[in-house]
Amino acid sequence: MTGSNANARGSAVIAPGLALLVPVVVFTGHNGYPWLRWEMLLLTAVIFTSGLVLGCVGLATGLRGRVVVLATAVALATELHLMGTAKATKLGLALTAFVVVVVIGYVARERLFRVGVPVLAVVILTTPFAEPGLALITETTSATLSGSERQDLAPVVHLLLDEQCGIDGIPDELESGRHLRTALTDFYVAHDFALYTHAYSRYYDSHNAIANVLNLSSLAQDSGYQRVEGDAQTGTRVLEENAYFRRLTAAGYRIRTYQSSYMDFSRDPETHVEYALTYQINAIGNLKNLAVSAPQKAGLIFDSFTYASQVFRFLRRTYAGLRTAAGGSDSALPAWTSVAKVVAVPAVATLARLAADIAKGPNRGKVYFAHLTLPHYYYVYDERCALWPELDSWMGRRAGRGRTENSPEQRRERYEKYIAQSTCAKSLVESVFVALRQAGDWEDAIVVVHGDHGSRINQHPPLARYRQLLTRSDYRDAFATLFAIKKPGIVAGTNDTPAAVQDLLHLVVDGGNPAPAAPYVFLRGKRGALQRVPFPGVEPEPSSTATAIPQ
């Protein structure tokens, strides 16, 4: 074997590993995650070694085999890199990359590897310096507001807890559920809140639920009041109209928002938002200081990296099917768990920041609005807000997709984790109340705490095509949500009147109770159409017909 051939064959072994490392470097560079950490070194070693194995397979199959192996690695790297792209486009570009590499290999032969390896190495070494990395927190202030705060206006603290189910939505067949029902009721009533135990949201998806809450409306339209900046899957939704903020602005308030990267509430030009803190919910930088081991962090980064990959979704589904066929939880095959979203982690830190800002004051004439991705899945915190030590116990809200997202047992299992994280959320909310008391503003402050929809730990998802399958529990899991308000003039205690959070916010801006109306919710139909149906969480089971709302 000549030296030239030996170099080419060695390059053929290395090239697939380098190709697979490129999207990892781009992903971690974009997130600003430091490379010289044990978890990153471990992840890099595992991925590169996997590429070496592929390279050795190609080496044993001749030149054509080596080209096909490299083309496969490049196609997979392309698919992983395009995580925010539509599925058809992503797979099309990956296939194109495969064909291009095969054609180049057919023409250039061994030169493909001799030239490809240095090019890939340069990309890997220079990419970490190509961009500064994603900031976990960004803060903006308005330079256009003048004058001092209105000292005659009591502070408003508004906490929107994402995926916080209501009292009536907590499963009472679970002992922990009964305990949480009692604990939340006692907690809010003891703090002089009016607690609406049968509150619900008319929407299942956050972007519709929140946009309509803050516009005091219930549009039968998907994505009303908002636009998306960036890719539809990963971009930030911008709320362009915010009737609630406009009403508070007209009353003389200045507004401070503490928001996630999911939705921006600070951009309506007709509102006085003096400060906006935005925390990134899906950035892997949130994992850096978690109290878990380096191998566990490496696994979490890998899960986040491959979360949107169609290839890995197929592999996970295939493996799950094999494991089920082998006996499920009783089989010798370990579960392939994937924890891609730890959105509760930055929310906990943001809530602490909010409490500290309130404690410092001054608070009069200000609105503190916080959208907190808590107790939103994944369920990673126990009742004391400590991380569960085993990542296998970190759960999402559903075990599968399709007409059955959870079996009864899977639903119970997830609710136990959800209830623990909800208990954690309650203690963190109390820290905000303590801060208000420390600042001397508690007595006349207006405080509202509510969810945007239910826990969404459904057995069947609330889609129009599955309506005949939906049980009363499915509706409550999807739509029953929390609403509690403390305001001078509003009597503390429980209120079992069925009311939608999209209507209840009138209590803050004009003191008006919602007019009695038959409860209804929207199920998702084809191409985003919404279907209005009765809400059986507070009424008898609905009829078999649904009203299609024109778009």
Side-chain angles (χ1 to χ4, degrees):
M1 180 185 299
T2 66
S4 177
N5 285 339
N7 289 338
R9 293 167 74 87
S11 296
V13 174
I14 296 172
L18 293 179
L20 293 176
L21 280 182
V22 169
V24 180
V25 172
V26 172
F27 175 72
T28 54
H30 172 71
N31 278 271
Y33 205 92
W35 268 89
L36 295 179
R37 292 178 63 94
W38 286 114
E39 59 268 22
M40 285 306 306
L41 296 175
L42 177 61
L43 179 62
T44 300
V46 170
I47 291 175
F48 184 64
T49 301
S50 300
L52 289 179
V53 172
L54 288 176
C56 290
V57 171
L59 191 63
T61 56
L63 176 61
R64 289 182 180 178
R66 296 197 293 274
V67 171
V68 169
V69 165
L70 178 57
T72 302
V74 170
L76 178 57
T78 301
E79 198 265 350
L80 288 166
H81 175 64
L82 299 172
M83 62 174 57
T85 309
K87 178 170 70 173
T89 302
K90 180 165 52 176
L91 295 178
L93 290 172
L95 179 60
T96 300
F98 178 87
V99 172
V100 167
V101 174
V102 169
V103 170
I104 294 174
Y106 179 79
V107 174
R109 300 179 68 81
E110 301 289 1
R111 284 175 294 172
L112 170 66
F113 304 102
R114 288 198 295 267
V115 174
V117 165
V119 169
L120 291 171
V122 168
V123 171
I124 291 170
L125 293 174
T126 59
T127 295
F129 307 100
E131 57 179 316
L134 188 66
L136 297 181
I137 293 176
T138 57
E139 299 174 83
T140 58
T141 56
S142 173
T144 61
L145 300 182
S146 59
S148 58
E149 293 85 1
R150 289 270 303 274
Q151 295 301 307
D152 59 314
L153 295 175
V156 176
V157 176
H158 186 150
L159 305 181
L160 199 172
L161 304 180
D162 205 306
E163 226 162 67
Q164 178 63 72
C165 69
I167 303 302
D168 192 48
I170 302 171
D172 60 3
E173 67 269 22
L174 300 178
E175 182 179 356
S176 59
R178 294 191 295 272
H179 177 76
L180 181 62
R181 281 189 177 209
T182 301
L184 285 177
T185 301
D186 292 347
F187 171 73
Y188 283 106
V189 172
H191 284 89
D192 300 323
F193 280 79
L195 176 64
Y196 284 73
T197 57
H198 286 70
Y200 67 97
S201 173
R202 294 193 174 109
Y203 304 89
Y204 180 73
D205 295 305
S206 292
H207 65 275
N208 287 327
I210 297 172
N212 281 280
V213 164
L214 295 180
N215 278 284
L216 310 168
S217 64
S218 292
L219 291 183
Q221 172 190 345
D222 185 49
S223 299
Y225 305 113
Q226 58 199 280
R227 60 183 168 85
V228 180
E229 286 190 342
D231 179 80
Q233 286 185 310
T234 59
T236 295
R237 292 179 176 271
V238 177
L239 196 62
E240 297 184 292
E241 296 180 53
N242 192 328
Y244 177 62
F245 279 17
R246 290 180 184 183
R247 297 278 289 273
L248 293 168
T249 295
Y253 280 100
R254 294 187 176 191
I255 302 167
R256 297 173 63 89
T257 68
Y258 299 73
Q259 60 197 23
S260 77
S261 54
Y262 176 77
M263 183 173 283
D264 188 340
F265 306 100
S266 66
R267 307 274 282 277
D268 184 343
E270 297 184 34
T271 63
H272 287 173
V273 177
E274 68 171 11
Y275 171 80
L277 179 150
T278 303
Y279 61 96
Q280 294 291 330
I281 53 174
N282 292 323
I284 60 172
N286 293 319
L287 308 174
K288 187 167 60 175
N289 296 319
L290 286 187
V292 296
S293 67
Q296 288 175 318
K297 286 181 185 176
L300 290 170
I301 294 170
F302 179 80
D303 287 344
S304 183
F305 172 56
T306 60
Y307 172 71
S309 167
Q310 299 301 318
V311 172
F312 276 89
R313 285 184 182 178
F314 171 77
L315 292 175
R316 288 188 184 103
R317 286 197 299 267
T318 301
Y319 181 83
L322 292 173
R323 185 169 181 267
T324 299
S329 58
D330 295 328
S331 74
L333 296 175
W336 184 351
T337 57
S338 176
V339 181
K341 294 183 176 182
V342 287
V343 299
V345 170
V348 169
T350 301
L351 220 164
R353 169 66 183 273
L354 170 64
D357 288 352
I358 290 174
K360 286 189 300 185
N363 300 317
R364 304 200 70 79
K366 292 181 180 177
V367 175
Y368 293 89
F369 174 85
H371 174 214
L372 302 158
T373 47
L374 187 75
H376 196 287
Y377 74 97
Y378 278 72
Y379 315 127
V380 301
Y381 289 112
D382 66 14
E383 297 87 345
R384 298 171 290 106
C385 296
L387 290 171
W388 295 105
E390 297 298 328
L391 263 59
D392 286 349
S393 67
W394 294 15
M395 290 186 178
R397 63 180 177 86
R398 59 190 175 195
R401 293 177 180 269
R403 62 191 294 164
T404 302
E405 293 185 335
N406 292 296
S407 68
E409 179 57 37
Q410 289 166 335
R411 177 176 173 269
R412 286 193 294 272
E413 188 179 24
R414 278 155 178 77
Y415 256 116
E416 292 290 356
K417 296 293 185 180
Y418 173 85
I419 287 167
Q421 191 149 291
S422 294
T423 303
C424 164
K426 177 179 74 70
S427 67
L428 296 172
V429 167
E430 186 171 25
S431 70
V432 175
F433 298 172
V434 170
L436 262 178
R437 292 184 188 277
Q438 290 176 345
D441 292 313
W442 174 260
E443 294 305 320
D444 64 345
I446 301 169
V447 184
V448 59
V449 185
H450 67 90
D452 55 343
H453 45 63
S455 68
R456 303 194 295 183
I457 307 176
N458 296 75
Q459 185 172 354
H460 307 294
L463 303 179
R465 65 179 179 271
Y466 300 141
R467 189 180 176 206
Q468 299 302 321
L469 300 175
L470 299 180
T471 65
R472 190 183 303 273
S473 292
D474 285 323
Y475 278 99
R476 287 179 174 172
D477 293 339
F479 300 107
T481 196
L482 179 74
F483 190 90
I485 182 170
K486 184 192 85 70
K487 182 182 179 183
I490 295 181
V491 178
T494 58
N495 187 325
D496 62 1
T497 303
V501 289
Q502 284 75 24
D503 299 332
L504 283 167
L505 211 56
H506 279 283
L507 289 166
V508 179
V509 292
D510 54 33
N513 267 301
Y520 66 90
V521 295
F522 292 105
L523 304 183
R524 278 185 286 158
K526 293 182 179 179
R527 292 183 292 276
L530 301 179
Q531 288 189 340
R532 173 173 164 167
V533 301
F535 177 49
V538 290
E539 282 196 339
E541 291 288 352
S543 64
S544 60
T545 60
T547 304
I549 306 298
Q551 299 299 297

Coordinates of all heavy atoms in Angstrom, one line a residue, residues 223-259:
S223 N -53.7 31.7 16.1 CA -52.6 32.7 16.1 C -53.1 34.1 15.9 O -52.4 34.9 15.3 CB -51.6 32.3 15.0 OG -51.0 31.0 15.2
G224 N -54.2 34.4 16.5 CA -54.7 35.8 16.5 C -53.8 36.7 17.3 O -53.2 36.3 18.3
Y225 N -53.7 38.0 16.8 CA -52.9 39.0 17.5 C -51.4 38.9 17.5 O -50.7 39.7 18.1 CB -53.3 39.2 19.0 CG -54.8 39.3 19.3 CD1 -55.5 38.3 19.9 CD2 -55.4 40.5 18.9 CE1 -56.8 38.5 20.2 CE2 -56.8 40.7 19.2 CZ -57.5 39.6 19.8 OH -58.8 39.8 20.1
Q226 N -50.9 37.9 16.8 CA -49.5 37.7 16.9 C -48.8 37.3 15.6 O -49.5 37.0 14.6 CB -49.2 36.5 17.9 CG -49.9 35.2 17.5 CD -50.1 34.3 18.6 OE1 -49.1 33.6 19.0 NE2 -51.2 34.2 19.2
R227 N -47.5 37.5 15.5 CA -46.7 37.0 14.4 C -45.5 36.3 15.0 O -45.2 36.4 16.1 CB -46.2 38.2 13.5 CG -45.4 39.2 14.3 CD -45.0 40.4 13.4 NE -44.4 41.5 14.2 CZ -43.1 41.5 14.5 NH1 -42.3 40.6 14.1 NH2 -42.6 42.5 15.2
V228 N -44.8 35.5 14.1 CA -43.7 34.7 14.5 C -42.4 35.3 13.9 O -42.4 35.5 12.7 CB -43.8 33.2 14.2 CG1 -42.6 32.4 14.6 CG2 -45.1 32.7 14.8
E229 N -41.4 35.6 14.7 CA -40.1 36.1 14.2 C -39.2 34.9 14.2 O -39.0 34.1 15.1 CB -39.5 37.1 15.2 CG -40.2 38.5 15.1 CD -39.4 39.5 15.8 OE1 -38.6 39.2 16.7 OE2 -39.6 40.7 15.5
G230 N -38.6 34.6 13.0 CA -37.8 33.5 12.8 C -38.6 32.3 12.4 O -39.7 32.4 11.8
D231 N -38.0 31.1 12.5 CA -38.6 29.9 12.1 C -39.9 29.6 12.9 O -40.0 29.9 14.1 CB -37.6 28.7 12.3 CG -38.2 27.4 11.8 OD1 -38.3 27.2 10.6 OD2 -38.7 26.7 12.7
A232 N -40.9 29.0 12.2 CA -42.2 28.8 12.8 C -42.0 27.8 14.0 O -42.8 27.9 15.0 CB -43.1 28.2 11.8
Q233 N -41.0 26.9 14.0 CA -40.9 26.0 15.1 C -40.1 26.5 16.3 O -40.4 26.2 17.4 CB -40.2 24.7 14.6 CG -41.1 23.8 13.7 CD -40.4 22.5 13.4 OE1 -39.2 22.6 12.9 NE2 -41.0 21.4 13.6
T234 N -39.1 27.3 16.0 CA -38.2 27.8 17.1 C -38.2 29.3 17.3 O -37.6 29.8 18.2 CB -36.8 27.4 16.8 OG1 -36.4 27.9 15.5 CG2 -36.6 25.9 16.6
G235 N -39.0 30.0 16.5 CA -39.0 31.5 16.6 C -39.8 31.9 17.7 O -40.6 31.2 18.3
T236 N -39.7 33.2 18.1 CA -40.4 33.8 19.1 C -41.7 34.4 18.6 O -41.7 35.1 17.5 CB -39.6 35.0 19.8 OG1 -38.5 34.4 20.4 CG2 -40.4 35.7 20.8
R237 N -42.8 34.2 19.3 CA -44.1 34.8 18.9 C -44.1 36.2 19.5 O -43.8 36.4 20.7 CB -45.2 34.0 19.4 CG -45.3 32.6 18.7 CD -46.5 31.8 19.2 NE -46.6 30.5 18.5 CZ -47.4 30.4 17.4 NH1 -48.1 31.5 16.9 NH2 -47.4 29.3 16.7
V238 N -44.5 37.2 18.7 CA -44.6 38.5 19.1 C -46.1 38.9 19.2 O -46.8 38.8 18.2 CB -43.9 39.5 18.1 CG1 -44.0 40.9 18.6 CG2 -42.4 39.1 18.1
L239 N -46.5 39.3 20.4 CA -47.9 39.7 20.6 C -48.0 41.2 20.2 O -47.5 42.1 20.9 CB -48.3 39.6 22.1 CG -49.8 39.6 22.3 CD1 -50.5 38.5 21.6 CD2 -50.0 39.6 23.8
E240 N -48.5 41.4 19.0 CA -48.6 42.8 18.4 C -49.7 43.6 19.0 O -49.6 44.8 19.0 CB -48.7 42.7 16.9 CG -47.5 42.0 16.2 CD -47.6 42.0 14.7 OE1 -48.5 41.3 14.2 OE2 -46.8 42.6 14.1
E241 N -50.7 43.0 19.5 CA -51.8 43.7 20.2 C -51.9 43.1 21.6 O -52.0 41.9 21.7 CB -53.1 43.6 19.4 CG -53.1 44.2 18.0 CD -54.4 44.0 17.4 OE1 -55.5 44.4 18.0 OE2 -54.5 43.5 16.2
N242 N -52.1 44.0 22.6 CA -52.2 43.6 24.0 C -53.2 44.5 24.7 O -52.8 45.5 25.3 CB -50.8 43.6 24.6 CG -50.8 42.9 26.0 OD1 -51.8 42.9 26.7 ND2 -49.6 42.4 26.3
A243 N -54.5 44.2 24.6 CA -55.5 45.0 25.2 C -55.3 45.2 26.7 O -55.6 46.3 27.2 CB -56.9 44.5 24.8
Y244 N -54.9 44.2 27.3 CA -54.7 44.2 28.8 C -53.6 45.3 29.1 O -53.9 46.1 30.0 CB -54.3 42.8 29.3 CG -54.0 42.7 30.7 CD1 -55.0 43.0 31.7 CD2 -52.8 42.3 31.2 CE1 -54.7 42.9 33.1 CE2 -52.5 42.1 32.5 CZ -53.4 42.4 33.4 OH -53.1 42.3 34.8
F245 N -52.5 45.2 28.5 CA -51.4 46.2 28.7 C -51.9 47.6 28.3 O -51.5 48.6 29.0 CB -50.2 45.8 28.0 CG -49.3 44.7 28.6 CD1 -49.8 43.9 29.6 CD2 -48.0 44.5 28.2 CE1 -49.0 42.9 30.2 CE2 -47.2 43.6 28.8 CZ -47.7 42.8 29.8
R246 N -52.6 47.7 27.3 CA -53.1 49.0 26.9 C -54.0 49.6 27.9 O -53.9 50.8 28.2 CB -53.8 48.9 25.5 CG -53.0 48.6 24.3 CD -53.7 48.5 23.0 NE -52.9 48.1 21.9 CZ -53.3 48.0 20.7 NH1 -54.6 48.3 20.4 NH2 -52.5 47.6 19.7
R247 N -54.9 48.8 28.5 CA -55.8 49.3 29.6 C -55.0 49.8 30.8 O -55.2 50.8 31.4 CB -56.8 48.2 30.0 CG -57.7 47.8 28.8 CD -58.9 48.8 28.7 NE -59.8 48.6 29.8 CZ -60.8 47.8 29.8 NH1 -61.0 46.9 28.8 NH2 -61.7 47.8 30.8
L248 N -54.0 49.0 31.1 CA -53.1 49.4 32.3 C -52.3 50.6 32.0 O -52.1 51.5 32.8 CB -52.2 48.2 32.6 CG -52.9 47.0 33.2 CD1 -52.0 45.8 33.3 CD2 -53.5 47.3 34.6
T249 N -51.8 50.7 30.7 CA -51.1 51.9 30.3 C -52.0 53.1 30.4 O -51.6 54.2 30.9 CB -50.6 51.7 28.9 OG1 -49.6 50.7 28.9 CG2 -49.9 53.0 28.4
A250 N -53.2 53.0 29.9 CA -54.2 54.2 30.0 C -54.5 54.6 31.4 O -54.7 55.8 31.7 CB -55.4 53.8 29.3
A251 N -54.4 53.6 32.3 CA -54.6 54.0 33.7 C -53.4 54.6 34.4 O -53.5 55.1 35.5 CB -55.0 52.7 34.5
G252 N -52.3 54.7 33.7 CA -51.1 55.4 34.2 C -50.0 54.5 34.7 O -49.0 54.9 35.2
Y253 N -50.1 53.2 34.5 CA -49.1 52.2 34.9 C -47.9 52.1 33.9 O -48.1 52.4 32.7 CB -49.7 50.8 35.0 CG -50.5 50.6 36.3 CD1 -51.9 50.6 36.3 CD2 -49.8 50.3 37.5 CE1 -52.6 50.4 37.5 CE2 -50.5 50.1 38.7 CZ -51.9 50.1 38.7 OH -52.6 49.9 39.8
R254 N -46.8 51.8 34.5 CA -45.6 51.4 33.7 C -45.5 49.9 33.9 O -45.7 49.4 35.0 CB -44.3 52.1 34.2 CG -44.4 53.6 33.9 CD -43.1 54.2 34.2 NE -43.0 55.6 33.8 CZ -42.0 56.4 33.8 NH1 -40.8 55.8 34.1 NH2 -42.0 57.6 33.4
I255 N -45.0 49.2 32.9 CA -45.1 47.7 32.9 C -43.7 47.2 32.8 O -42.8 47.6 32.0 CB -46.0 47.2 31.7 CG1 -47.4 47.8 31.8 CG2 -46.0 45.7 31.7 CD1 -48.2 47.6 30.6
R256 N -43.4 46.2 33.6 CA -42.2 45.4 33.6 C -42.6 43.9 33.3 O -43.4 43.3 33.9 CB -41.4 45.4 34.9 CG -41.0 46.9 35.3 CD -40.4 46.9 36.7 NE -39.2 46.1 36.8 CZ -38.0 46.5 36.6 NH1 -37.8 47.8 36.2 NH2 -36.9 45.7 36.8
T257 N -42.0 43.4 32.2 CA -42.3 42.0 31.8 C -41.1 41.1 32.1 O -39.9 41.5 31.9 CB -42.7 41.9 30.3 OG1 -41.6 42.2 29.5 CG2 -43.8 42.9 30.0
Y258 N -41.4 39.9 32.5 CA -40.4 38.8 32.7 C -41.0 37.7 31.9 O -41.9 37.0 32.3 CB -40.3 38.4 34.2 CG -39.9 39.6 35.1 CD1 -40.7 40.7 35.4 CD2 -38.6 39.6 35.6 CE1 -40.3 41.7 36.2 CE2 -38.2 40.7 36.4 CZ -39.0 41.7 36.7 OH -38.6 42.8 37.4
Q259 N -40.4 37.5 30.7 CA -41.0 36.6 29.7 C -40.1 35.6 29.2 O -38.8 35.8 29.2 CB -41.5 37.5 28.5 CG -40.4 38.3 27.9 CD -41.0 39.4 27.0 OE1 -42.1 39.9 27.2 NE2 -40.2 39.8 26.0

